[in-house]
Amino acid sequence: FFQITERIIVLFVVINSQEEVQGKYVVCVLFFLWNLLDVVRYTYNMLSRMGIYYLPLTWLNFSLCIPLYPLSVLAKAYAICVSLRYFESFGTYSIKLPFPFTFSIYFPYVLKMYLLVLFIGMCFIIQNIFSERKAHLGTGNIKNKRS
């Protein structure tokens, strides 16, 4: 749920709303990383639900996401940073409420807070990825296997 919500926010709010960002190379890199991770993950999940365990695919599923997930987070963060100046100059999604509330929402600040949450969430997810990899593939420590 959170992954889909996060991708919807990045895709439709950040990338799709600013035409200047759509042509940047980081968008292509971001889509490539997302699709590469999903092809491996969904193939592994589909085969494991059917009771088929292919060791190279299992290793790829639990090892590929370790370097690629932080790269995708960096690509998302870079896309957000590139789009910040356009949100600041055009004022897209910034709202100023009328008199009784006298409250305004400056959307670049919301995106900056989202960047903070994105990196904090990445730390927890990477920790979870390592524990899942350890549970499915073992520690990978050769000394323990020899003794």
Side-chain angles (χ1 to χ4, degrees), residues 1 9-10 18 22 33 35-36 39-40 43-44 48 53 65 67 85 92 95 97-98 101 103 112-113 136 139:
F1 174 75
I9 290 170
V10 170
Q18 301 295 332
Q22 294 172 10
L33 291 172
N35 289 320
L36 184 62
V39 163
V40 172
T43 305
Y44 170 79
S48 67
Y53 294 99
C65 56
R85 67 178 178 173
T92 311
I95 301 169
L97 297 175
F101 301 108
F103 183 77
K112 289 175 185 177
M113 288 189 308
H136 283 84
T139 59

Side-chain angles (χ1 to χ4, degrees), residues 13 18 34 47 51 68 72 79 82-83 87 92 106 114 121-122 124-125 127 130 132:
V13 175
Q18 301 295 332
W34 280 350
L47 290 176
L68 290 186
S72 70
V82 165
S83 69
F87 281 111
T92 311
Y106 188 57
Y114 178 71
M122 181 187 73
F124 289 114
I125 289 174
Q127 200 173 34
F130 275 117
E132 281 184 13

Side-chain angles (χ1 to χ4, degrees), residues 96-104:
K96 187 169 186 174
L97 297 175
F99 173 67
F101 301 108
T102 61
F103 183 77
S104 63

Side-chain angles (χ1 to χ4, degrees), residues 40-134:
V40 172
R41 181 181 332 133
Y42 293 141
T43 305
Y44 170 79
N45 287 337
M46 178 188 63
L47 290 176
S48 67
R49 297 282 183 223
M50 295 178 1
I52 300 170
Y53 294 99
Y54 184 59
L55 187 60
L57 185 62
T58 303
W59 182 87
L60 194 62
N61 181 50
F62 290 107
S63 299
L64 187 66
C65 56
I66 291 172
L68 290 186
Y69 182 75
L71 284 176
S72 70
V73 169
L74 288 174
K76 277 186 265 190
Y78 185 72
I80 291 171
C81 288
V82 165
S83 69
L84 273 175
R85 67 178 178 173
Y86 300 111
F87 281 111
E88 288 172 351
S89 64
F90 297 136
T92 311
Y93 301 128
S94 294
I95 301 169
K96 187 169 186 174
L97 297 175
F99 173 67
F101 301 108
T102 61
F103 183 77
S104 63
I105 299 172
Y106 188 57
F107 193 67
Y109 290 157
V110 173
L111 284 178
K112 289 175 185 177
M113 288 189 308
Y114 178 71
L115 282 174
L116 180 67
V117 170
L118 187 68
F119 283 111
I120 292 171
M122 181 187 73
C123 296
F124 289 114
I125 289 174
I126 290 295
Q127 200 173 34
N128 187 30
I129 288 171
F130 275 117
S131 65
E132 281 184 13
R133 185 178 192 282
K134 186 178 178 182

